[in-house]
Amino acid sequence: MYFCYRITIFSSQMDVKVIFRKVFSSYLVLHLAAMAAVVVLLCVAVKFGLDLYTHHGEGIVVPQLKGMSYDKAYLLLEEAGLRIEVSDSGYNKRQPANSILAQMPNSGQKVKQGHVVYVTVNSPSSPTFAIPDIVDNSSVREAEAKLTAMGFRLLPAQQVEGEKDWVYGIICRGRRVSNGDQVSIEYPLTLLVGKGAYDDTEDVEYADPTYDATQESEVDEFVEVEER
């Protein structure tokens, strides 16, 4: 019985060795190594192809466009392989009309070929804005805050008769403007602000009430009734 058990164990050990040799034979190892090499080469090829397609590591330096005319900037970017697009307009009276005021991306940054550079172009005329609802509707602080936020330049306020620090009007280039009027941003504004005092120098005429002399008080007539 013991001998049979030893034979069984020995046979099992022989089977494991045979299986181990078959699994890890040189033929199989070579195949696995070849497959691993193919996977590595495939990954390298894919990475190389993506880098080639996306021009990895290559870039075009964005030139400085601020202050340049739009036509000149268009030709410059076209020669560099880039595109230009107007995203907004502004106004700066110190700069020529249709000149570049701002750009995105900024100069010096590297971008890929065909990238769009967005620019802000200087408008040939100053923009106009509607006067907000401030006349007879706001204090001087509120009016100044609204107008300066819109970009208007304010001259020293003129005091007029009325409630203190209350806006009663706006002067622009010598004439009064009202709520909703379109005014150029270049023109300064003057607020008419109440000084908190009224003119009491005017004579006031007082008149006593008059009555019609022909009117007399009515008297009730009494009729005597004789008793019988």
Side-chain angles (χ1 to χ4, degrees):
M1 185 70 180
Y2 177 74
F3 179 75
C4 293
Y5 179 72
R6 292 292 300 273
I7 292 175
T8 303
I9 294 175
F10 180 76
S11 176
S12 299
Q13 292 178 352
M14 291 295 294
D15 292 340
V16 171
K17 290 181 180 181
V18 171
I19 294 173
F20 184 81
R21 288 176 181 176
K22 289 183 178 181
V23 171
F24 295 97
S25 62
S26 58
Y27 179 77
L28 182 59
V29 171
L30 290 175
H31 275 72
L32 293 175
M35 292 175 62
V38 170
V39 172
V40 172
L41 291 175
L42 183 61
C43 293
V44 173
V46 170
K47 185 178 183 304
F48 179 78
L50 289 176
D51 292 343
L52 184 63
Y53 177 76
T54 58
H55 301 281
H56 181 71
E58 300 179 4
I60 301 174
V61 179
V62 178
Q64 176 64 266
L65 304 178
K66 294 181 181 179
M68 189 180 301
S69 66
Y70 177 82
D71 295 336
K72 186 176 180 180
Y74 179 88
L75 295 176
L76 181 62
L77 293 181
E78 187 178 32
E79 292 177 357
L82 302 176
R83 295 186 296 151
I84 187 172
E85 184 173 329
V86 178
S87 61
D88 198 3
S89 62
Y91 179 73
N92 187 343
K93 61 182 179 181
R94 299 182 182 87
Q95 297 291 336
N98 296 321
S99 61
I100 307 299
L101 298 177
Q103 65 180 88
M104 184 60 65
N106 294 324
S107 61
Q109 295 187 7
K110 286 187 176 182
V111 296
K112 297 176 183 178
Q113 185 177 5
H115 191 83
V116 178
V117 179
Y118 297 94
V119 296
T120 301
V121 178
N122 192 27
S123 176
S125 60
S126 61
T128 60
F129 295 99
I131 297 296
D133 187 14
I134 58 177
V135 178
D136 291 331
N137 195 34
S138 65
S139 65
V140 62
R141 289 187 178 181
E142 295 173 344
E144 288 176 347
K146 290 181 180 179
L147 294 174
T148 54
M150 296 173 65
F152 284 106
R153 182 167 60 91
L154 299 179
L155 298 177
Q158 293 183 9
Q159 292 187 339
V160 296
E161 297 176 4
E163 184 179 348
K164 186 175 179 58
D165 295 334
W166 192 253
V167 177
Y168 288 96
I170 302 175
I171 301 295
C172 178
R173 304 182 70 188
R175 68 180 184 89
R176 297 191 66 156
V177 292
S178 304
N179 301 332
D181 290 347
Q182 294 287 335
V183 178
S184 172
I185 200 69
E186 285 189 345
Y187 301 151
L189 304 178
T190 302
L191 298 178
L192 302 180
V193 181
K195 59 183 177 181
Y198 295 90
D199 189 4
D200 55 357
T201 60
E202 296 182 357
D203 296 332
V204 179
E205 297 181 357
Y206 295 94
D208 294 330
T210 58
Y211 300 94
D212 190 355
T214 60
Q215 293 180 353
E216 297 180 353
S217 59
E218 296 181 354
V219 179
D220 296 336
E221 294 183 356
F222 296 92
V223 179
E224 295 182 0
V225 179
E226 295 182 358
E227 294 182 356
R228 294 181 181 179

